[in-house]
Structures are given as structure tokens and as C-alpha cells.
Amino acid sequence: VQLQACGGGLVQAGGSLRLSCVAAGSIFSVFSGSTVDWYHQAPGKERELVARSTTDGTSTYGDSVKGRFTISRDNSRKTVWLRMNDLKPEDTGAYFCNLVNSYYNLHLWGQGTQVTVSS
């Protein structure tokens, strides 16, 4: 199983982007039973969790993105999205998706997709 993240780009402050994370090679039961997170790593800083989608459909968000970002998933397509609205320059950085499935002992990172927000 590999996580393939895409959708980053250059956008002006106040703009929007939608990131995608596809679990290539995954089967439905594995993906649907996995928690999938999006992390943000700003230049020179550590990765921080911005959004989480759990197996029961619960979504949680970091304080800095609440009300602006929305995580969603489609288990049949083995895909998780991160819709980012009202982007700010401090949202600039690499975004990584992360899949955890304790039953199958899986902990995977995607390759990251770069988001740059200009002021």
C-alpha cells in the first residue's frame, strides 16, 4: 500500500485548495478500517496534525485550521481529501497524509504536497 498525495500549489491569501490522498494498492476493508490524518510542516518547523478522519466518520481539526479546513473520505475510492479555504500565509508548507491501521499493523506516510500561500 502506498499513499499518493497531490493537489498542492501556489495560491493567494484567502484562496482555496483541495488536497487528495489516495491509498494505492489498498483494499476496501483495510482503508475503511484506517484512521487517516493530514499533517502540515511549515519551513523549519516540525510536522503538526491539522485534520483527522477516523473509521467511525469522526473528523477533528487543529485549532489553527478549525472553520477553514474540512477533511472528508470516500472509502470506496480509498481517498481522503482536505479542503482548505481562506488560506493564510502561515498555511504555507508541505502537507502529508498519514494512514494508521492497528489491526493490520500499518503506519504509512504519503510523499507530501507543497502549498504556498502568498500575501
Side-chain angles (χ1 to χ4, degrees), residues 6-115:
C6 64
L10 173 63
V11 64
Q12 289 186 333
S16 299
L17 286 172
R18 189 179 77 158
L19 308 183
S20 301
C21 176
V22 180
S26 173
I27 60 175
F28 175 82
S29 60
V30 173
F31 187 83
S32 62
S34 301
T35 293
V36 182
D37 302 327
W38 281 100
Y39 282 78
H40 170 226
Q41 186 167 20
K45 296 188 178 180
E46 295 185 352
R47 290 183 191 182
E48 61 174 5
L49 179 66
V50 295
R52 167 167 290 166
S53 173
T54 60
T55 58
D56 64 357
T58 301
S59 300
T60 56
Y61 301 92
D63 289 340
S64 63
V65 306
K66 283 180 181 176
R68 300 188 298 121
F69 290 12
T70 303
I71 190 170
S72 59
R73 66 192 290 165
D74 184 336
N75 290 332
S76 66
R77 296 172 65 179
K78 291 163 281 185
T79 301
V80 172
W81 295 274
L82 183 68
R83 177 68 180 183
M84 305 186 295
N85 294 329
D86 189 24
L87 283 161
K88 303 176 180 181
E90 53 263 43
D91 296 320
T92 293
Y95 284 76
F96 299 87
C97 55
N98 173 257
L99 180 148
V100 177
N101 187 306
S102 58
Y103 183 83
Y104 290 100
N105 197 28
L106 285 174
H107 189 181
L108 303 173
W109 286 96
Q111 82 281 14
T113 184
Q114 179 68 31
V115 172

